[in-house]
Amino acid sequence: MTNPFDLSGKVAIVTGANTGIGQGIALALAAAGADIAAVGRSAATETVGQVRALGRKAEIVSADLSTIEPVQRVVDETVEKLGGLHILVNNAGIIRRADSVDFTEEDWDAVMDTNLKSVFFLCQAAARHMIKQFENGGGGGKIINIASMLTFQGGIRVPSYTASKSGVGGLTKLLANEWASKGITVNAIAPGYIATNNTDALQKDETRNRQILERIPAGRWGDPADLGGAAVFLASSASDYVQGHVLAVDGGWLAR
C-alpha cells in the first residue's frame, strides 16, 4: 500500500521559511519527501541547509511580501528552479501591538497587506499553475494558509492582526469552494501559542505568559515542530477529501 503521507516528487513553497513556524513546516515537508522553495525577505540559509541535509532539494526565493509585486515571480522562480509546484504554505506574517484607540493607519495597512492581501494573491498565482496542472492530468495542488487562534477569538491590542487572521479563515473557505472541483484543496492551520519571534513580547511579559500557560491544557508553549504533522497531512493525499477546514494545533487552548 502506498504511504498516503509521502510527499516524494512534490515541490512546496513555504513563505517566511527562515525561522519559527515556517522553518518547522518546511523541515517537516522535506522529511516527508518534498523539495522546498523557501520564500522571504531574509535569506533562509539555515532552513535550506537543513532541508538539503535531509536529501531534498531546496532553493531560496527572495521576496518581500508586504506588497504583491513579487507574487508571480515567486511562483515562476519556484517552477524554474525546482521543476514544479504542488504545495503552497502561506506562513509569512507580521503583527503590530497597540491599544485600539491609538492604532495607526500605517500599522493597520502593513499587517493587512502582508497577512491577507499577499496571501490571497499568492493563492491566486499558485492556483493558476495548479489548475493548468490538473487540466493536463498532472494532479492539482494543496494550499495551506496559516491562520491563528485569533481566527476564532478577538484577542487584545492587535486589531489588524485579528482582522487579517479572521480574513484568512474566511478566505480559506471561499477558495476551497471555488477550487475543489479543479483539483486543489485549500485548508488552514491555526497555531496556538507557539514560541517564535512574533510571540517574544508575550513570552517576556510575566503576567501574560502566566495567563497563557494557565489556559493551555498541555501546559506549555508550542514549538514550531509541533505543526509539522498537521502540515504534512494537509499537503498529502491523506487529506484529499478535507476541504475548507481550519485545523487548530493549540495544545487544547480552544477546548478550554
Side-chain angles (χ1 to χ4, degrees):
M1 180 179 176
T2 303
N3 178 3
F5 299 97
D6 183 17
L7 298 179
S8 299
K10 304 297 184 182
V11 174
I13 287 174
V14 182
T15 68
N18 60 309
T19 187
I21 289 172
Q23 183 178 68
I25 288 175
L27 295 178
L29 297 180
D35 298 327
I36 305 295
V39 179
R41 287 178 296 183
S42 303
T45 307
E46 179 183 337
T47 303
V48 164
Q50 291 184 53
V51 169
R52 289 174 178 170
L54 292 169
R56 307 311 313 161
K57 296 177 184 176
E59 296 289 343
I60 293 172
V61 178
S62 297
D64 179 355
L65 293 173
S66 64
T67 76
I68 66 169
E69 184 276 327
V71 160
Q72 187 60 51
R73 177 178 59 78
V74 167
V75 172
D76 293 342
E77 199 170 320
T78 298
V79 173
E80 179 184 349
K81 289 182 173 181
L82 293 172
L85 173 58
H86 311 91
I87 301 158
L88 167 65
V89 180
N90 273 312
N91 165 72
I94 62 172
I95 193 166
R96 297 285 187 269
R97 300 180 189 277
D99 289 342
S100 293
V101 292
D102 300 320
F103 210 80
T104 66
E105 182 180 10
E106 180 183 4
D107 282 345
W108 177 273
D109 289 344
V111 173
M112 295 297 283
D113 285 349
T114 300
N115 293 13
L116 190 57
K117 184 176 180 179
S118 288
V119 165
F120 170 72
F121 284 101
L122 193 48
C123 284
Q124 181 190 73
R128 286 171 175 165
H129 176 86
M130 292 171 178
I131 290 168
K132 287 180 183 177
Q133 223 166 226
F134 178 70
E135 291 173 344
N136 292 329
K142 301 277 186 171
I143 294 176
I144 305 168
N145 296 321
I146 302 303
S148 167
M149 291 296 95
L150 300 189
T151 302
F152 306 100
Q153 301 174 326
I156 55 172
R157 304 188 74 248
V158 285
S160 57
Y161 187 83
T162 298
S164 70
K165 291 302 184 178
S166 295
V168 166
L171 182 63
T172 296
K173 294 170 186 176
L174 174 136
L175 297 179
N177 291 339
E178 290 195 23
W179 295 342
S181 64
K182 302 179 187 300
I184 301 172
T185 67
V186 188
N187 294 288
I189 297 172
Y193 283 86
I194 309 297
T196 67
N197 292 337
N198 265 358
T199 59
D200 188 57
L202 291 178
Q203 295 172 68
K204 290 179 177 176
D205 183 324
E206 186 177 335
T207 300
R208 287 289 289 130
N209 184 60
R210 185 183 68 255
Q211 291 170 341
I212 287 166
L213 288 175
E214 287 173 348
R215 168 72 186 268
I216 301 172
R220 66 173 177 87
W221 283 75
D223 184 89
D226 289 321
L227 302 167
V232 170
F233 168 61
L234 293 176
S236 71
S237 62
S239 61
D240 281 350
Y241 201 59
V242 178
Q243 192 66 269
H245 183 65
V246 182
L247 174 58
V249 182
D250 64 353
W253 173 276
L254 289 177
R256 190 63 175 258

